[in-house]
Amino acid sequence: MHPPAPELLDWYDRHRRSLPWRGEGDPYRIWLSEVMLQQTTVAAVGPRYARFLARFPDVEALAAAPWEAVAAEWAGLGYYARARNLHAAAQAVAARGGFPETEAGLRALPGIGAYTSAAVAAIAFGRPTVPVDGNVERVTARLFDIRDPLPAARPRLAQLARGFMEQPVARARPGDFAQALFDLGATICTPRRPACALCPWRGHCAAQAAGVQDSLPVKAPKPVRGLRHGMHFLLRDGSGRLLLRHRPPQGLLGGMPEIPGTPWREGAAWSEAEALAHAPLAAEWRLLPGVARHGFTHLELEMRLLTALLPEGAPVPEGFFWLGEAEARGALPTAMGRLLALAAPGGEGPVPQVPPTPAGTGLLAGEAPAMAPRATPARGRPRGAPGSGPPKRRTKP
DNA sequence: AAATCGGGGCA
DNA sequence: TGCCCAGATTT
């Protein structure tokens, strides 16, 4: 039996969070917020949402923008396929003259799946549907004391959640009802130590009745993340600009600018000599101290940095571009920014110049480094293989 | 069904 | 540190 919708909606009317995207119901703004909030906390989205809207005020502006502008605006938010799909969907919406107003129509746009189509349909267009996100899954698992582990239990939880729309009071306010579930999950029915005493549905919760609310939902254990190593090449020209390239459009950090480097391989760290074969051009590369660490969802990365100045009269290699350092800091994904920080521990200024030793190695120039991070060979390698590593000083996150 | 795809916030 | 987050897409 589902708990009564009026009790949740009354609570929502009194306690709902004031959030930037809870405004007049502009579908563009609601869609943007939903995409930005995919696997991303409200706290992280807050400032970025306003900034994005200021730069792309409506779907036509976003559709007309070049990819580089969208990528720079999304930099640091992660899951860059969202930005690519957002851009493509904006162009589709602009071309057809507006957003589809049904769940199925929205679902056909790139980057809009089961959750986002339901959320936009309910919040922007008042369709009677229940978007099922992590909050709703948790609330539902507790209300009905579902002990099957996620993600296997997902279809069952989604079906239970949809059952709320059988109540006419919920059907009358689908957008508010959805957001009430979000707020309940975010502020009361939290992952740890839920505040059941404050819950508008206390007395209707099977998990609380059984005293197991703290341990639901059950989640399947996560696989261990493998460790990979990379060596990157920071080249500055006479005016201090940096040599960058774009990553391949698919895959890790797809379509984003990067500091050129070796592939990210499992096993041993790159030696300097070994890595030089991947240099964008021949120069007097110097290995900087320090290791930049960055964790992705399914792998962990340790990168080191070689730096050089553009040799006098050297041709700029194909497939690269120059960007000022300040602009690069804003446009690079976080992993690359962390790498860049190795070159400027103080945060500003060029690399402290050391008189070049004549040890610089002549190197093959120009070889087009179409580097894509190898799509997962075997894993399960023992963690933390004792690298043939230099000093393990790492940058602070 | 399982893998891939980021990074910030917070105990 | 590990866990979580207004998930989607590909394999």
Side-chain angles (χ1 to χ4, degrees):
Chain A
M1 193 56 188
H2 284 71
E7 297 183 13
L8 179 67
L9 285 168
D10 288 346
W11 171 83
Y12 180 69
D13 291 336
R14 283 179 282 118
H15 297 293
R16 70 172 171 183
R17 294 174 291 174
S18 173
L19 299 173
W21 42 89
R22 288 183 175 170
E24 305 77 37
D26 175 5
Y28 171 70
R29 297 182 173 222
I30 292 166
W31 165 63
L32 174 64
S33 74
E34 293 302 339
V35 173
M36 215 171 252
L37 286 160
Q38 287 168 6
Q39 293 295 287
T40 309
T41 56
V42 166
V45 166
R48 305 299 300 267
Y49 177 75
R51 213 182 80 180
F52 195 100
L53 271 183
R55 186 153 178 189
F56 307 111
D58 51 48
V59 71
E60 289 81 14
L62 179 56
W67 160 248
E68 283 74 14
V70 180
E73 193 52 47
W74 201 270
L77 271 173
Y79 284 151
Y80 297 98
R82 292 186 296 174
R84 301 196 298 272
N85 289 328
L86 193 78
H87 195 208
Q91 292 170 343
V93 169
R96 78 188 284 287
F99 280 88
E101 301 191 3
T102 66
E103 197 172 346
L106 290 160
R107 179 76 176 74
L109 292 170
I112 296 191
Y115 163 77
T116 305
S117 58
V120 175
I123 298 169
F125 300 117
R127 306 281 166 162
T129 182
V130 181
V132 182
D133 72 332
N135 289 306
V136 178
E137 283 180 351
R138 183 172 56 256
V139 168
T140 305
R142 287 172 174 168
L143 283 174
F144 297 95
D145 191 5
I146 304 300
R147 305 187 186 188
D148 308 327
L150 289 171
R154 195 152 286 156
R156 184 179 176 191
L157 293 174
Q159 184 176 350
L160 283 168
R162 281 193 294 272
F164 282 115
M165 279 300 119
E166 293 170 10
Q167 301 184 45
V169 172
R171 294 182 74 83
R173 300 175 60 189
D176 284 346
F177 189 81
Q179 295 178 89
L181 287 174
F182 300 161
D183 284 13
L184 186 68
T187 65
I188 304 287
C189 197
T190 51
R192 279 168 306 207
R193 301 176 53 82
C196 299
L198 303 178
C199 181
W201 276 341
R202 65 187 176 278
H204 298 278
C205 181
Q208 194 208 4
V212 296
Q213 69 275 13
D214 285 29
S215 55
L216 293 184
V218 179
K219 299 207 168 187
K222 301 182 177 175
V224 274
R225 301 187 301 180
L227 177 63
R228 298 193 195 189
H229 295 275
M231 182 80 82
H232 290 256
F233 301 91
L234 186 67
L235 187 74
R236 298 175 196 272
D237 71 1
S239 52
R241 293 181 307 172
L242 313 179
L243 184 73
L244 304 178
R245 66 179 171 190
H246 279 110
R247 293 180 59 80
Q250 314 294 337
L252 202 54
L253 306 180
M256 298 299 290
E258 71 168 348
I259 299 167
T262 66
W264 296 334
R265 71 177 184 192
E266 307 182 73
W270 295 82
S271 71
E272 183 173 348
E274 203 179 10
L276 283 174
H278 298 266
L281 51 73
E284 294 182 356
W285 294 106
R286 312 190 150 283
L287 182 61
L288 293 184
V291 177
R293 290 183 56 92
H294 189 75
F296 294 101
T297 304
H298 59 290
L299 66 92
E300 213 163 315
L301 189 57
E302 290 189 1
M303 297 169 288
R304 302 201 66 200
L305 193 59
L306 293 160
T307 63
L309 287 174
L310 181 67
E312 201 66 32
V316 177
E318 187 108 4
F320 295 79
F321 60 93
W322 294 101
L323 202 61
E325 176 157 353
E327 198 174 351
R329 282 186 192 286
L332 288 169
T334 298
M336 289 293 145
R338 209 159 279 179
L339 190 52
L340 187 55
L342 289 180
E348 90 290 345
V351 189
Q353 64 280 20
V354 184
T357 66
T361 48
L363 244 302
L364 35 153
E367 74 177 38
M371 136 185 172
R374 191 130 309 271
T376 292
R379 24 144 103 262
R381 194 183 126 279
R383 286 175 52 80
S388 54
K392 288 288 184 188
R393 182 159 75 75
R394 42 195 59 163
T395 59
K396 329 176 213 292

